[in-house]
Amino acid sequence: MNQFLEQIDYVIELIEQANWTDYLIFILAYVILVLGLLGSLKKNQRQVWYNCVWLFVCPPLGIYLVKHNRRIKKKKKQELIRYSLTGWAIVLSAIFIYLGWMPHPNYQEVETYQDSHLVKRPNDLNLEVHFIDIGQGDATLIVYDDFHLLIDGGNNGSEAKLLNYLKKVGVDDIEILVATHPDSDHIGGLAEVMAEYRVHLIIDSGESHSSQTYKAYFEAVKQQQEQGAIYLEDADMIFELSDQITFEVIETGDDNGDRNNNSVLTKLSYQDIDFLFTGDMESKTEEKILYRDLEAEILKAGHHGSQTSSSIDFLQEVQPEVVVISAGLNNSYGHPHRALLERVNRYTDEVYVTYEKGNIVVTTDGLTYQVDFK
């Protein structure tokens, strides 16, 4: 029974994903079939067109009306019914083939993670999200009361800058550390962070790398485990920072083809205000998760503002009011790309790049938010 209900939910999700062009295609298919059917009738038989239309609107009723219409010859009745059933078979086959091409939601129960180190903090405090100006890399710090959550740790060579920033903010330990994927511009400073701070929970994509940077990172993970840290690979789970704040890890699958597309995707929600953090996720994976609840006021653009991330379909689901891009000045990749900026500007003019604004800090009480540059 549960599987049946899940399939019903799946169909509903697909219907919700369809846009007006999808519906138009199926409507046109109906019209063509109806016109073809009417065109097959002789002029004097078109007086019974309403019976024939019912063959497409409601086949059982249409068949009944046609069979009991004395103006239509028996041979013609069989031809009309056969035409109707064939048309319906074609349309339904087209629908099922089309739905088969659409991304299939991976339904699974979302676990609310509980741990003695991750006790809920008081309600109604300000929450801060720091997008750290770390150069050509990523590092985001979330601060709520004495709860500290770090997503990524910048590139090789940025370790001192990251540690100085954490000390300036007043970080004493790190409750949750997320390494979105094993590229050096995201985990470059994490070994040093773990050498300096106690970490209670570590989450990464589960992918390894042959680089020395990754080896240093994973060695630091093992040392933290020896001190009691919990190490998890990404899966659907929710952490409650307070009764009003959740941090959700959204599973995107482990078969997306490369490290970028296997990035850990996370969402931070404080009452009416949501943040979405995408690592280096690109449009290939974005398409697979469009059925998820992605709407967020503040979007951390994927892959440093690369043109391969933050597709139109993805932005349509997120509907961002503020977009933050972490990129280094005069970087060799050309981040952020013009095509990406043009797409984002369709939704908001509030686009901030770290090499232009420095450290970008968003403060929220759960109802409103404020963006500052430090």
Side-chain angles (χ1 to χ4, degrees):
M1 184 64 179
N2 288 337
Q3 290 182 341
F4 174 74
L5 293 176
E6 287 180 359
Q7 291 302 317
I8 295 297
D9 287 341
Y10 167 51
V11 172
I12 292 173
E13 292 279 5
L14 292 177
I15 292 173
E16 290 176 349
Q17 285 185 47
N19 54 42
W20 67 270
T21 55
D22 301 324
Y23 295 118
L24 181 61
I25 290 172
F26 294 128
I27 291 172
L28 287 175
Y30 277 117
V31 171
I32 291 171
L33 288 170
V34 171
L35 292 177
L37 177 60
L38 295 178
S40 70
L41 296 173
K42 294 180 181 179
K43 186 175 182 180
N44 64 332
Q45 291 177 320
R46 292 180 187 176
Q47 299 173 10
V48 296
W49 64 270
Y50 56 90
N51 292 159
C52 302
V53 170
W54 275 111
L55 285 173
F56 288 89
V57 176
C58 181
L61 178 59
I63 291 172
Y64 175 82
L65 292 174
V66 168
K67 278 190 172 183
H68 290 80
N69 194 314
R70 296 179 180 179
R71 295 185 179 183
I72 305 176
K73 294 181 180 180
K74 183 176 181 181
K75 185 177 180 180
K76 194 63 177 179
K77 289 179 181 180
Q78 294 175 347
E79 181 181 342
L80 291 173
I81 293 172
R82 185 168 60 251
Y83 197 112
S84 169
L85 295 178
T86 301
W88 264 96
I90 293 172
V91 171
L92 290 175
S93 297
I95 291 173
F96 283 118
I97 291 172
Y98 175 75
L99 293 180
W101 286 339
M102 298 181 73
H104 195 304
N106 180 23
Y107 287 98
Q108 53 184 308
E109 185 176 352
V110 179
E111 175 187 0
T112 300
Y113 190 89
Q114 294 181 337
D115 183 82
S116 58
H117 296 297
L118 306 179
V119 296
K120 293 181 183 179
R121 270 49 177 185
N123 295 328
D124 301 319
L125 302 177
N126 281 345
L127 178 145
E128 295 179 352
V129 178
H130 300 247
F131 300 94
I132 304 172
D133 179 16
I134 205 71
Q136 184 61 22
D138 262 17
T140 304
L141 176 68
I142 298 168
V143 180
Y144 183 76
D145 193 31
D146 61 347
F147 194 108
H148 302 103
L149 194 159
L150 181 64
I151 303 175
D152 289 334
N155 211 334
N156 294 321
S158 63
E159 300 91 341
K161 190 173 186 179
L162 176 59
L163 288 173
N164 288 336
Y165 192 90
L166 298 181
K167 291 176 182 177
K168 183 177 72 172
V169 172
V171 175
D172 52 0
D173 62 357
I174 297 174
E175 275 65 34
I176 301 177
L177 186 151
V178 178
T180 59
H181 64 297
D183 283 358
S184 60
D185 58 335
H186 288 253
I187 64 168
L190 291 183
E192 285 73 10
V193 168
M194 285 186 275
E196 186 73 20
Y197 293 99
R198 172 78 184 278
V199 180
H200 298 292
L201 179 66
I202 303 165
I203 302 170
D204 66 25
S205 65
E207 285 211 17
S208 60
H209 197 291
S210 60
S211 69
Q212 292 301 316
T213 302
Y214 177 79
K215 292 177 181 178
Y217 156 77
F218 200 68
E219 184 62 33
V221 170
K222 290 190 289 185
Q223 291 176 6
Q224 287 286 341
Q225 284 182 286
E226 292 174 359
Q227 299 176 43
I230 297 172
Y231 170 63
L232 300 172
E233 295 180 10
D234 71 315
D236 272 13
M237 63 183 83
I238 294 177
F239 302 90
E240 296 179 339
L241 280 63
S242 76
D243 290 331
Q244 301 167 320
I245 303 174
T246 59
F247 181 72
E248 181 179 3
V249 179
I250 301 174
E251 168 64 47
T252 60
D254 298 319
D255 57 350
N256 296 316
D258 56 51
R259 294 188 299 274
N260 287 344
N261 278 309
N262 284 334
S263 290
V264 180
L265 175 68
T266 55
K267 183 175 183 179
L268 176 68
S269 300
Y270 186 3
Q271 296 191 91
D272 296 338
I273 307 300
D274 299 293
F275 298 76
L276 193 64
F277 310 96
T278 60
D280 275 0
M281 189 175 67
E282 299 177 329
S283 57
K284 175 183 177 181
T285 303
E286 291 173 356
E287 291 176 1
K288 295 176 63 175
I289 59 170
L290 293 178
Y291 68 94
R292 302 298 294 261
D293 178 15
L294 301 175
E295 188 172 350
E297 283 70 27
I298 295 90
L299 169 66
K300 167 67 175 53
H303 204 182
H304 318 285
S306 169
Q307 62 185 350
T308 59
S309 297
S310 303
S311 65
I312 282 294
D313 289 340
F314 181 74
L315 292 171
Q316 181 64 30
E317 294 300 318
V318 178
Q319 294 288 318
E321 297 176 4
V322 173
V323 175
V324 176
I325 299 172
S326 182
L329 182 64
N330 298 324
N331 66 82
S332 60
Y333 305 98
H335 295 154
H337 290 151
R338 178 181 295 180
L340 177 279
L341 295 175
E342 290 175 351
R343 288 199 297 270
V344 168
N345 285 148
R346 298 185 191 183
Y347 296 89
T348 180
D349 293 327
E350 290 195 63
V351 182
Y352 305 120
V353 186
T354 52
Y355 71 67
E356 294 178 340
K357 300 296 185 180
N359 302 306
I360 301 167
V361 182
V362 182
T363 305
T364 177
D365 60 1
L367 302 176
T368 61
Y369 63 86
Q370 177 178 319
V371 182
D372 296 303
F373 311 114
K374 299 181 179 180

